Amino acid sequence: MKLSELLKGIEVKNGYTDKEIADVCSDSRLIDKDYLFICIKGATFDGHSVAAEMLEKGAAAVVTERDLRLENQIIVDNTREALSPICANFYGNPAEKLKLIGLTGTNGKTTTAFLVKQILESLGKKVGLIGTVQNMVCDEVYPAHYTTPDPHELQSLFAKMVEAGCEYCVMEVSSQALAQGRVSSVDFLVGAFTNLTQDHLDYHKTFENYFEAKRLLFKRSKIAVINADDEYGLRITEGLSCKNYTYGVKNHNVDYCARNLNFSAKGVTYELVCDTIGRVNCPIPGRFSVYNSLCAAAVVLSLGFDFKDVVVAVSGCKGVKGRIEVVPTDTDFTVIIDYAHSPDGLQNIISSLREIAQGRIVTLFGCGGDRDKTKRPIMGNIAASLSDFCVVTSDNPRSENPSEIINDILEGMKDTQTPYKVIENRKEAIFWAVNNAEKDDIILLAGKGHETYQILPTGTIHFDEREAVAEALSSKTQEI
């Protein structure tokens, strides 16, 4: 593709020689002959520092934010903002051929995205999905490295969806992706807001910055579907031109309301009320499943689909890996895996389990390293206050000392009476929890969810909690 075609719609501040471009790249490690290299300034590395080296390695040109006195340079105001439209141009702007649905919020994005996809598919539509657990083009699965991919991978996925005949794409849109302009060239038919609680302050620094990053999605959306039970949901579209639809459980002055809720270990049922009433049977347990399924239903209804068809479709949905996932044990206790890794997420899952628990709730959890440290004692307090027993262990310590992370967690547990045990090694902690389980216990493994790895100071290792539970059960059987 010609350089001039890649730069279409982008304000270039200098003259340049048009030439053929083989690909677009912002990672200096992946540069190849005739690539266009975009110089991105990150937290620890500035691509501008290697621009000359990229040209020496065969790059056809470099896109920069300042004059580097290089022969083949393209100067723009903001390279990060330019990356998204350049990648879109490279793939022929595939997003323009899709109806995009973006979901943002602290919790619930993954489950809600899967639910929207399943509902639309049951209504006969071809749907792609982009998110934390995996990316999908219809039924074909692609690995997910980030909640929202970088612009090159994102546009590549859009192109695959168009080629496969997808009409819709449902995607999780993270606050970091919005702040970094990864979707700056993407327009959404629907933007949906789930909730906003403390998370990612290591990146955004302040809660208001976090909120404003989420708000960027709705500046690019024609329709907004927002949780009116969340105070930030009522602010997220202020002053914006998108058409609003609201949903809620506590707030009945909404477009879509859930009433007469009933909870069981098999799922939740409720009446979906708008200008008519339908009975929803969502096969995913937990109070937050009401919000997730209600949001998903509201999104699809905002697109104009028949109410009765949507209610039936929601009731036919399946669960999502790592989200209140019941692990088969064939025992008199239950093991549940959930991705809850924020204070609000942990509170929601334990509170939901309390509504169906017949015995103890044993919460096994840790906190991630190199992330917001202030939430560690908060999560410790929440786990201890709501559980009957806690096992404090490692999550993804990354470069931090696991024992120091655990000490931060324990600070929040000091004023509680809940018994707990500290086992730093997560596999050993799971073995202990399984081997000490009592009849009717619910053992909650919180924080890892769908992940099949653990990031330690020594590197990344394979670690699947389902496998650890199976091994623990096997060893327990052998002891008997």
Side-chain angles (χ1 to χ4, degrees):
M1 180 176 282
K2 289 290 186 181
L3 179 58
S4 57
E5 294 178 80
L6 286 176
L7 298 174
K8 193 174 294 184
I10 297 167
E11 184 178 346
V12 178
K13 304 172 79 171
N14 66 308
Y16 61 89
T17 301
D18 203 8
K19 54 184 66 179
E20 197 69 27
I21 301 296
D23 206 342
V24 178
C25 179
S26 60
D27 188 334
S28 60
R29 297 164 296 183
L30 303 178
I31 203 67
D32 208 340
K33 182 174 172 57
D34 294 329
Y35 276 28
L36 177 64
F37 180 71
I38 318 293
C39 301
I40 302 293
K41 184 177 181 180
T44 58
F45 177 77
D46 187 350
H48 292 79
S49 66
V50 295
E53 182 184 343
M54 296 300 99
L55 291 171
E56 291 173 4
K57 288 186 174 181
V62 293
V63 179
T64 78
E65 292 181 353
R66 58 182 183 272
D67 184 1
L68 299 178
R69 300 182 181 277
L70 299 173
E71 185 176 346
N72 296 311
Q73 65 180 10
I74 310 295
I75 305 174
V76 299
D77 283 329
N78 188 313
T79 53
R80 194 178 287 279
E81 288 183 5
L83 178 59
S84 182
I86 287 174
C87 291
N89 287 337
F90 181 76
Y91 283 101
N93 296 290
E96 295 177 0
K97 304 176 182 71
L98 295 166
K99 295 173 183 176
L100 298 180
I101 299 168
L103 295 120
T104 199
T106 306
N107 299 306
K109 297 189 297 296
T110 297
T111 300
T112 306
F114 271 90
L115 291 175
V116 172
K117 184 178 191 292
Q118 291 179 48
I119 295 168
L120 287 172
E121 286 176 335
S122 72
L123 296 171
K125 301 301 180 181
K126 284 191 173 183
V127 188
L129 180 139
I130 296 173
T132 306
V133 175
Q134 61 192 28
N135 301 317
M136 299 181 72
V137 178
C138 295
D139 293 328
E140 191 170 354
V141 176
Y142 294 82
H145 307 291
Y146 300 99
T147 296
T148 310
D150 68 77
H152 191 285
E153 183 183 2
L154 182 63
Q155 296 296 332
S156 172
L157 287 166
F158 287 154
K160 287 182 173 69
M161 292 176 194
V162 171
E163 185 178 358
C166 291
E167 183 179 353
Y168 290 88
C169 171
V170 186
M171 62 181 291
E172 298 179 52
V173 188
S174 68
S175 56
Q176 292 100 318
L178 288 160
Q180 293 172 4
R182 288 183 227 164
V183 293
S184 63
S185 66
V186 177
D187 291 320
F188 294 86
L189 176 57
V190 180
F193 172 80
T194 59
N195 49 61
L196 197 69
T197 58
Q198 181 175 338
D199 204 7
H200 304 301
L201 296 191
D202 52 303
Y203 178 85
H204 296 289
K205 306 306 180 187
T206 70
F207 200 84
E208 192 63 23
N209 288 345
Y210 184 33
F211 168 72
E212 287 298 331
K214 295 290 188 187
R215 186 171 147 82
L216 291 173
L217 172 64
F218 301 92
K219 293 182 179 181
R220 308 200 65 86
S221 301
K222 288 184 179 180
I223 299 170
V225 174
I226 57 178
N227 179 4
D229 285 352
D230 188 290
E231 62 176 307
Y232 290 94
L234 301 175
R235 288 179 51 198
I236 200 86
T237 60
E238 282 182 357
L240 302 182
S241 59
C242 48
K243 184 176 182 179
N244 284 4
Y245 291 95
T246 55
Y247 68 93
V249 177
K250 302 172 185 175
N251 188 339
H252 290 184
N253 186 28
V254 291
D255 296 296
Y256 304 104
C257 180
R259 298 183 184 176
N260 298 322
L261 283 57
N262 183 54
F263 304 95
S264 74
K266 294 182 179 180
V268 296
T269 62
Y270 60 89
E271 290 178 347
L272 173 51
V273 182
C274 50
D275 53 357
T276 185
I277 300 176
R279 191 69 183 173
V280 172
N281 295 284
C282 179
I284 309 171
R287 181 172 293 272
F288 50 83
S289 292
V290 176
Y291 280 97
N292 294 339
S293 59
L294 181 59
C295 178
V299 165
V300 179
L301 288 168
S302 77
L303 295 169
F305 287 92
D306 181 77
F307 179 83
K308 291 182 180 177
D309 291 342
V310 172
V311 169
V312 171
V314 175
S315 299
C317 288
K318 300 176 182 178
V320 181
K321 183 178 181 180
R323 269 63 180 178
I324 200 163
E325 176 187 349
V326 179
V327 181
T329 61
D330 193 27
T331 64
D332 57 4
F333 59 89
T334 303
V335 178
I336 289 177
I337 292 176
D338 193 83
Y339 191 50
H341 61 283
S342 67
D344 184 65
L346 194 60
Q347 180 172 340
N348 284 341
I349 180 63
I350 302 174
S351 297
S352 291
L353 294 178
R354 180 60 66 193
E355 291 175 325
I356 61 174
Q358 295 181 335
R360 299 183 308 165
I361 293 178
V362 178
T363 300
L364 182 150
F365 76 107
C367 289
D370 302 332
R371 297 294 186 268
D372 180 12
K373 294 185 178 182
T374 64
K375 68 181 184 181
R376 295 172 185 172
I378 298 173
M379 289 177 65
N381 185 266
I382 288 170
S385 299
L386 299 178
S387 307
D388 298 295
F389 194 96
C390 292
V391 181
V392 186
T393 185
S394 287
D395 190 286
N396 289 321
R398 299 183 177 86
S399 69
E400 286 195 63
N401 185 327
S403 63
E404 293 180 4
I405 297 175
I406 289 172
N407 287 336
D408 289 341
I409 294 170
L410 296 179
E411 282 295 317
M413 302 174 70
K414 283 182 175 178
D415 297 328
T416 67
Q417 302 301 313
T418 303
Y420 66 86
K421 188 172 183 65
V422 174
I423 304 175
E424 184 178 304
N425 182 289
R426 195 172 181 100
K427 184 175 182 178
E428 292 176 7
I430 291 173
F431 268 61
W432 188 91
V434 168
N435 282 292
N436 288 275
E438 299 175 4
K439 184 179 182 297
D440 294 328
D441 277 357
I442 295 178
I443 300 175
L444 170 63
L445 309 182
K448 297 291 292 172
H450 62 282
E451 294 177 354
T452 56
Y453 59 84
Q454 190 173 23
I455 308 173
L456 307 174
T458 53
T460 301
I461 62 169
H462 173 79
F463 184 75
D464 188 326
E465 292 190 319
R466 296 150 200 83
E467 296 173 5
V469 170
E471 288 182 42
L473 288 168
S474 177
S475 67
K476 185 174 186 178
T477 302
Q478 290 171 9
E479 287 177 7
I480 294 172

